[in-house]
Structures are given as structure tokens and as C-alpha cells.
């Protein structure tokens, strides 16, 4: 799955790993039940609800997309612990190269595993990667029934307000 990256992004959104569907179509958050695109719009990151196929328009807004783990699976519970560790190393290289203001990891469990922070909570994290601030949001996958779209929009909106505040 190709990353959507550019130097100096405001936010680099980081999914856990691509779904099998996303990997086939080559687009991030492509499954019809994924709430990433509506949450992005409702939170004010995008001027309208983008279709997954319009992901390239994110760059003009200073936004990018990557994943902790590149391997596509039917669900994230199929990933091995070592893949998260290797994924963090890859993220560190991307952050060092592209220098986003924020790295937003979309999945608390993924963040806890990749960054060895078992007690992390949603929101801004104390640690940084260089000058990049870390933020954790819920996974917007339709498989994550714990967070409905209004909850996701509110939490994504907290990040957007922090980004806008500098």
C-alpha cells in the first residue's frame, strides 16, 4: 500500500495496517464501513467528505496517510507483536524524513504495542518523535463498534483544534 506523504505535513495519520480490500484497490481506508473519511470531514480536516479514491487531495491540505504495519490482513488481530516493533522503526524513519507537526496513530492498541506504552490513553501523548507531537485516536474501522461516528468526529476534532492552535 503506497503511503501518502509530503514534507512538512500538518498531520500524518497512521492506520494500524491495510485491510485486504484497501490493499486490492490501493487506497487507504477504502472499505465502505470505514468511518475515517466521514470523521475527517465532520472534524473539519476536509472541506467535504472525500471518497477514498480522492485521498490524493489530502496532500494539498497538509495531511498524509501511512500505516504502522504494511501487511494487509482481514483484521488487525492477525498481526504479530514483532510487526508493531518493526512498524515503529519505519514510522520513526518517515517522521524524521517528512517532519509532520503531528503523527496521529489510529488505534490505541496499535500505539501501545508499537511504542511500548501499555498505559497510553487517547489524545496527545507526552513523548514526541523529534519535533513531531504524537496523538492517539480510535481506529475508525467499521469493525471497531466501541466508537460511533459522532464519537470519532469529536475526538478527531480535538486533534484538529490542537493542530490549528499550533
Amino acid at each position: 500500500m503506497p503511503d501518502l506523504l509530503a514534507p512538512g505535513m500538518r498531520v500524518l495519520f497512521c492506520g494500524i495496517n491495510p485491510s485486504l480490500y484497501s490493499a486490492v484497490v490501493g487506497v487507504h481506508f477504502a472499505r465502505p464501513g470505514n468511518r475515517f473519511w466521514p470523521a475527517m470531514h465532520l472534524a473539519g480536516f476536509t472541506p467535504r467528505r472525500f471518497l477514498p479514491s480522492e485521498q490524493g487531495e489530502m496532500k494539498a491540505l497538509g495531511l498524509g496517510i501511512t500505516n504502522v504495519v504494511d501487511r494487509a490482513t482481514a483484521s488487525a488481530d492477525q498481526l504479530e507483536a514483532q510487526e508493531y516493533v518493526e512498524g515503529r522503526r519505519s514510522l520513526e524513519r518517515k517522521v524524521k524524513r517528512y517532519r509532520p507537526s503531528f503523527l496521529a496513530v489510529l488505534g490505541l492498541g496499535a500505539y501501545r504495542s508499537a511504542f511500548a506504552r501499555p498505559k497510553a490513553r487517547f489524545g496527545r501523548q507526552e513523548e514526541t518523535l523529534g519535533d513531531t507531537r504524537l496523538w492517539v485516536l480510535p481506529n475508525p474501522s467499521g469493525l471497531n463498534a466501541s466508537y460511533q461516528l459522532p464519537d470519532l468526529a469529536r475526538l478527531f476534532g480535538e486533534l484538529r483544534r490542537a493542530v490549528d492552535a499550533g
Side-chain angles (χ1 to χ4, degrees):
M1 171 73 73
D3 290 327
L4 185 68
L5 301 169
M9 293 169 284
R10 295 182 317 140
V11 183
L12 176 56
F13 289 93
C14 182
I16 299 170
N17 72 309
S19 69
L20 295 173
Y21 183 80
S22 286
V24 168
V25 299
V27 177
H28 294 274
F29 306 107
R31 287 184 60 109
N34 196 295
R35 284 99 33 108
F36 177 78
W37 300 106
M40 291 291 286
H41 173 61
L42 292 171
F45 278 111
T46 60
R48 60 181 174 75
R49 181 177 170 176
F50 287 174
L51 297 172
S53 60
E54 298 174 302
Q55 70 181 12
E57 294 186 35
M58 299 277 283
K59 283 185 180 181
L61 300 172
L63 307 172
I65 305 174
T66 190
N67 290 292
V68 176
V69 177
D70 290 331
R71 183 169 69 92
T73 60
S75 65
D77 63 0
Q78 296 173 323
L79 298 173
E80 301 293 330
Q82 185 59 31
E83 290 179 281
Y84 287 105
V85 174
E86 292 167 6
R88 179 192 171 142
R89 291 185 198 121
S90 175
L91 279 175
E92 289 172 343
R93 289 189 297 274
K94 291 173 190 178
V95 165
K96 184 176 180 180
R97 179 174 180 191
Y98 292 99
R99 302 175 52 94
S101 296
F102 284 86
L103 173 66
V105 178
L106 306 178
L108 184 59
Y111 180 82
R112 287 175 172 172
S113 296
F115 287 81
R117 298 286 186 259
K119 295 183 181 183
R121 303 223 186 275
F122 290 119
R124 186 171 178 173
Q125 305 302 301
E126 290 183 23
E127 71 181 310
T128 63
L129 290 179
D131 292 334
T132 298
R133 291 164 278 184
L134 302 178
W135 200 281
V136 178
L137 292 166
N139 178 354
S141 168
L143 299 175
N144 181 6
S146 299
Y147 288 88
Q148 298 303 311
L149 185 56
D151 303 314
L152 293 171
R154 179 181 52 79
L155 293 169
F156 276 56
E158 290 174 7
L159 170 59
R160 189 204 35 87
R161 287 186 291 282
V163 171
D164 290 349

